[in-house]
Amino acid sequence: TQLLEQSPQFLSIQEGENLTVYCNSSSVFSSLQWYRQEPGEGPVLLVTVVTGGEVKKLKRLTFQFGDARKDSSLHITAAQPGDTGLYLCAGGGSQGNLIFGKGTKLSVKP
Amino acid sequence: NAGVTQTPKFQVLKTGQSMTLQCAQDMNHEYMSWYRQDPGMGLRLIHYSVGAGITDQGEVPNGYNVSRSTTEDFPLRLLSAAPSQTSVYFCASSYSSGAPIAGNTIYFGEGSWLTVV
């Protein structure tokens, strides 16, 4: 069974701080995606990483895919209240679907 | 752009009642799926469809039926609602598969909050 473990589960920080959230698995994934979900809405795709060791940047967000393609991280620089939300990582399942981690709930206080 | 539209947004059911959650997409996507999201459990796949007339079970299909008579619509039916089906339901669609491959953006609806009492 492919599982994705996310940590931390909850994170509460002040505006301007940096943070990193992690997504780990014992299985190899051909690619991983990161989503952000705001209250009352569905997940929205942030990025897809497909190559081991790949680093992608999206403004203040930096995504990294582990060399062995078993883990990924999301680093946010100078967090803002607008970054508040649930961050989900997802990998490909055996049914051609997404397997989601349980998410990291981020709260950025002004 | 409508994207993926789910109705209703909120619903309260009594145990044993049946209902249908509607999902429609206007992007001509072949792949559609239903997930449920529960606290501490993440999103789990209920059913999916790779095209009109083709459906298959996901991780947690019991108690749910689906059909795909058109490319646009993918309704989820609860046959006899149980309190364990209290959850938030998300419909998703994408051009090809539901896999997280580069260039395959998966779009989610805004969710349907279902409470079974």
Tab-separated table of all heavy atoms in Angstrom, chain A residues 2 4 7 17 20 23-24 27 29 36 43 58 64-66 79-80 83 94 102 105:
chain	number	residue	atom	x	y	z
A	2	GLN	N	0.590	2.124	-0.939
A	2	GLN	CA	1.362	3.352	-1.010
A	2	GLN	C	0.772	4.361	-0.030
A	2	GLN	O	-0.420	4.651	-0.071
A	2	GLN	CB	1.306	3.920	-2.424
A	2	GLN	CG	2.017	3.058	-3.463
A	2	GLN	CD	1.817	3.610	-4.851
A	2	GLN	OE1	0.707	3.694	-5.324
A	2	GLN	NE2	2.902	3.980	-5.488
A	4	LEU	N	1.506	8.246	1.950
A	4	LEU	CA	2.262	9.480	2.032
A	4	LEU	C	2.047	10.070	3.421
A	4	LEU	O	0.912	10.317	3.825
A	4	LEU	CB	1.800	10.470	0.959
A	4	LEU	CG	2.215	10.146	-0.471
A	4	LEU	CD1	1.437	10.997	-1.450
A	4	LEU	CD2	3.709	10.367	-0.651
A	7	SER	N	4.278	15.928	7.488
A	7	SER	CA	4.597	16.503	8.793
A	7	SER	C	5.065	17.943	8.615
A	7	SER	O	5.636	18.297	7.569
A	7	SER	CB	5.689	15.675	9.481
A	7	SER	OG	6.874	15.678	8.707
A	17	GLU	N	7.981	34.665	9.007
A	17	GLU	CA	8.797	33.489	9.323
A	17	GLU	C	8.900	32.562	8.104
A	17	GLU	O	8.071	32.603	7.188
A	17	GLU	CB	8.215	32.737	10.514
A	17	GLU	CG	8.273	33.494	11.824
A	17	GLU	CD	7.773	32.662	13.003
A	17	GLU	OE1	7.443	31.478	12.804
A	17	GLU	OE2	7.695	33.214	14.115
A	20	THR	N	9.064	24.861	6.643
A	20	THR	CA	9.182	23.733	5.713
A	20	THR	C	8.206	22.647	6.143
A	20	THR	O	8.119	22.331	7.335
A	20	THR	CB	10.610	23.164	5.710
A	20	THR	OG1	11.532	24.207	5.350
A	20	THR	CG2	10.728	22.031	4.700
A	23	CYS	N	6.809	15.629	3.094
A	23	CYS	CA	5.945	14.579	2.568
A	23	CYS	C	6.846	13.367	2.320
A	23	CYS	O	7.765	13.453	1.499
A	23	CYS	CB	5.294	15.062	1.270
A	23	CYS	SG	4.297	13.843	0.403
A	24	ASN	N	6.620	12.292	3.057
A	24	ASN	CA	7.510	11.136	3.005
A	24	ASN	C	6.759	9.845	2.729
A	24	ASN	O	5.614	9.672	3.143
A	24	ASN	CB	8.263	10.993	4.334
A	24	ASN	CG	9.163	12.162	4.618
A	24	ASN	OD1	10.115	12.417	3.896
A	24	ASN	ND2	8.854	12.907	5.659
A	27	SER	N	7.521	4.250	-0.412
A	27	SER	CA	7.383	3.826	-1.812
A	27	SER	C	7.972	4.877	-2.747
A	27	SER	O	8.026	6.063	-2.414
A	27	SER	CB	5.902	3.633	-2.162
A	27	SER	OG	5.276	2.717	-1.317
A	29	PHE	N	7.615	7.113	-5.983
A	29	PHE	CA	6.573	7.705	-6.813
A	29	PHE	C	7.190	8.278	-8.080
A	29	PHE	O	8.247	8.891	-8.041
A	29	PHE	CB	5.830	8.815	-6.056
A	29	PHE	CG	4.862	8.296	-5.030
A	29	PHE	CD1	5.280	8.086	-3.727
A	29	PHE	CD2	3.558	8.012	-5.374
A	29	PHE	CE1	4.391	7.600	-2.773
A	29	PHE	CE2	2.665	7.536	-4.429
A	29	PHE	CZ	3.081	7.322	-3.126
A	36	ARG	N	-2.868	23.238	-2.432
A	36	ARG	CA	-3.292	24.049	-1.299
A	36	ARG	C	-4.813	24.081	-1.288
A	36	ARG	O	-5.441	24.284	-2.330
A	36	ARG	CB	-2.752	25.473	-1.358
A	36	ARG	CG	-3.139	26.289	-0.114
A	36	ARG	CD	-2.413	27.599	-0.050
A	36	ARG	NE	-2.932	28.556	-0.999
A	36	ARG	CZ	-2.246	29.600	-1.437
A	36	ARG	NH1	-1.021	29.803	-1.023
A	36	ARG	NH2	-2.806	30.418	-2.283
A	43	PRO	N	-9.101	21.381	-3.295
A	43	PRO	CA	-7.650	21.553	-3.456
A	43	PRO	C	-7.329	22.198	-4.804
A	43	PRO	O	-7.989	21.927	-5.811
A	43	PRO	CB	-7.127	20.120	-3.406
A	43	PRO	CG	-8.199	19.314	-2.759
A	43	PRO	CD	-9.478	19.973	-3.140
A	58	LEU	N	8.028	28.708	-6.927
A	58	LEU	CA	6.803	29.403	-7.274
A	58	LEU	C	6.721	30.589	-6.330
A	58	LEU	O	6.211	30.495	-5.216
A	58	LEU	CB	5.603	28.468	-7.090
A	58	LEU	CG	4.230	28.951	-7.566
A	58	LEU	CD1	4.227	29.093	-9.072
A	58	LEU	CD2	3.159	27.962	-7.134
A	64	GLN	N	10.815	20.635	-3.471
A	64	GLN	CA	11.928	19.747	-3.807
A	64	GLN	C	11.438	18.308	-3.816
A	64	GLN	O	10.669	17.894	-2.951
A	64	GLN	CB	13.060	19.915	-2.803
A	64	GLN	CG	14.313	19.129	-3.165
A	64	GLN	CD	15.536	19.624	-2.437
A	64	GLN	OE1	15.447	20.458	-1.550
A	64	GLN	NE2	16.690	19.122	-2.819
A	65	PHE	N	11.894	17.556	-4.792
A	65	PHE	CA	11.605	16.129	-4.903
A	65	PHE	C	12.881	15.386	-4.528
A	65	PHE	O	13.945	15.689	-5.067
A	65	PHE	CB	11.180	15.803	-6.333
A	65	PHE	CG	10.425	14.523	-6.509
A	65	PHE	CD1	9.894	13.823	-5.435
A	65	PHE	CD2	10.207	14.011	-7.774
A	65	PHE	CE1	9.178	12.652	-5.614
A	65	PHE	CE2	9.482	12.845	-7.974
A	65	PHE	CZ	8.972	12.166	-6.889
A	66	GLY	N	12.798	14.439	-3.624
A	66	GLY	CA	13.973	13.723	-3.179
A	66	GLY	C	14.637	12.937	-4.299
A	66	GLY	O	13.977	12.536	-5.271
A	79	ALA	N	6.591	33.897	5.231
A	79	ALA	CA	5.167	33.532	5.120
A	79	ALA	C	4.260	34.745	5.343
A	79	ALA	O	4.562	35.645	6.143
A	79	ALA	CB	4.834	32.435	6.111
A	80	GLN	N	3.149	34.728	4.635
A	80	GLN	CA	2.147	35.790	4.733
A	80	GLN	C	0.802	35.188	5.138
A	80	GLN	O	0.560	34.000	4.892
A	80	GLN	CB	2.027	36.506	3.392
A	80	GLN	CG	3.321	37.181	2.955
A	80	GLN	CD	3.208	37.810	1.582
A	80	GLN	OE1	2.168	37.761	0.927
A	80	GLN	NE2	4.296	38.419	1.132
A	83	ASP	N	-0.957	32.800	2.941
A	83	ASP	CA	-0.453	31.432	2.766
A	83	ASP	C	-1.224	30.443	3.634
A	83	ASP	O	-1.042	29.225	3.494
A	83	ASP	CB	1.030	31.355	3.124
A	83	ASP	CG	1.904	32.179	2.195
A	83	ASP	OD1	1.573	32.266	0.992
A	83	ASP	OD2	2.920	32.744	2.667
A	94	SER	N	-2.280	3.222	-7.885
A	94	SER	CA	-2.297	2.101	-8.821
A	94	SER	C	-3.496	2.153	-9.757
A	94	SER	O	-3.507	1.495	-10.802
A	94	SER	CB	-2.296	0.773	-8.062
A	94	SER	OG	-3.427	0.709	-7.204
A	102	LYS	N	-2.230	13.299	4.519
A	102	LYS	CA	-3.301	13.844	5.345
A	102	LYS	C	-3.229	15.356	5.465
A	102	LYS	O	-4.161	15.991	5.961
A	102	LYS	CB	-3.286	13.197	6.726
A	102	LYS	CG	-3.606	11.717	6.671
A	102	LYS	CD	-3.554	11.072	8.045
A	102	LYS	CE	-3.849	9.575	7.927
A	102	LYS	NZ	-3.794	8.904	9.245
A	105	LYS	N	-1.778	21.625	8.131
A	105	LYS	CA	-2.627	22.808	8.277
A	105	LYS	C	-1.779	23.964	8.770
A	105	LYS	O	-1.274	23.946	9.885
A	105	LYS	CB	-3.768	22.526	9.253
A	105	LYS	CG	-4.850	23.592	9.254
A	105	LYS	CD	-6.061	23.136	10.038
A	105	LYS	CE	-7.194	24.135	9.940
A	105	LYS	NZ	-8.408	23.688	10.678
